[in-house]
Amino acid sequence: MGPDDIVLRVEDIHKKFGEKVVLRGVSFSVKKGDTVVVIGPSGTGKSTLLRCINQLTPPDMGRVFLHGEEVTNSGAKISYFRQKIGMVFQNFFLFDHLTALRNVEIALLRVRKMDPKAAREKAVYELDQVGMSDWADHFPAELSGGQAQRVSIARALAMDPEVILFDEPTSALDPELTREVLEVMKKLARTGLTMVVVSHEMGFATSVASEIIFMEGGRIVEQGPPHILMSDPAYPRTRKFVSQFADLAGQRKE
């Protein structure tokens, strides 16, 4: 792997809130077109890690690089990096007073300063990519959770990011709505979008991940390709965690 292949590089990230230490020196790299899935027990710092990557939560120590440019300590340039590092949250964060179409196009107009006609065409295209064209004129309150999450994915895609961070994108959804969101994410992974996904969806991880990272206690315990980490993990802690989901992963694996 050459340096030109690395889109995102995370180096020795530490974070604590008050006396609670959440991240204890996390480092990893993501190559262009890869899907990295971060798994581990709740409360082990996975979501905080994503927020440190795009500086929504600045780390106490460590650095983040996008294509070799430092994201941490970037001052006024952070808005540029946030356009390049998309984020999909578990609770959607759509504007309730705007239609699905307007939710997708508003950043194109206000942040990227696109021509209104071009912004509208781009928003329509991205809604189509996530199967939401027929719902373009509906407001968030008229959408299911799965539909709302697909709109939020379209909104992230519209900015043409170099990488998209997904923070447990299906955890707020009922099981029957989870599948439609995962199908969209699988499609994006297969088209070569670079993704970092925090998720408990082991079926998704085993079917599309380039690499799985297992975190516990604010550290990376183990990482590797799915076929190794899921079937022959090196550490007992990983083995115990993965075994809890083995049956489910087997059912969902495609």
Side-chain angles (χ1 to χ4, degrees), residues 9-172:
R9 191 166 84 252
V10 176
E11 290 185 355
D12 197 29
I13 294 293
H14 291 253
K15 184 66 185 179
K16 69 177 182 177
F17 298 100
E19 295 303 309
K20 182 176 174 58
V21 179
V22 180
L23 296 172
R24 304 170 185 268
V26 176
S27 302
F28 66 96
S29 296
V30 184
K31 292 189 298 180
K32 183 176 176 61
D34 275 2
T35 296
V36 173
V37 179
V38 184
I39 64 173
S42 296
T44 198
K46 305 184 300 297
S47 295
T48 300
L49 174 62
L50 294 192
R51 295 176 68 87
C52 285
I53 289 173
N54 74 353
Q55 296 291 281
L56 286 174
T57 300
D60 298 326
M61 197 174 104
R63 301 195 295 173
V64 177
F65 296 88
L66 184 73
H67 286 301
E69 287 189 271
E70 187 171 358
V71 179
T72 35
N73 310 307
S74 56
K77 201 177 179 184
I78 190 57
S79 59
Y80 162 80
F81 285 120
R82 285 195 183 129
Q83 291 180 52
K84 298 296 182 183
I85 304 174
M87 185 96 171
V88 175
F89 300 89
Q90 55 183 295
N91 293 319
F92 326 138
F93 291 126
L94 298 178
F95 293 109
D96 291 338
H97 65 292
L98 299 180
T99 64
L101 184 65
R102 287 285 292 156
N103 263 284
V104 176
E105 75 176 359
I106 191 166
L108 298 174
L109 295 168
R110 294 187 179 177
V111 179
R112 291 183 62 177
K113 311 295 185 186
M114 283 180 69
D115 170 78
K117 183 174 183 290
R120 176 60 53 98
E121 290 175 353
K122 176 73 167 167
V124 168
Y125 172 79
E126 298 299 356
L127 284 174
D128 183 58
Q129 291 297 101
V130 299
M132 286 298 292
S133 295
D134 292 345
W135 297 84
D137 296 326
H138 287 68
F139 291 89
E142 301 172 303
L143 304 177
S144 70
Q147 290 171 330
Q149 189 60 289
R150 284 189 280 155
V151 173
S152 70
I153 292 172
R155 179 180 58 188
L157 289 171
M159 300 302 284
D160 295 321
E162 300 288 341
V163 58
I164 297 186
L165 313 176
F166 292 83
D167 184 11
E168 302 206 40
T170 61
S171 66

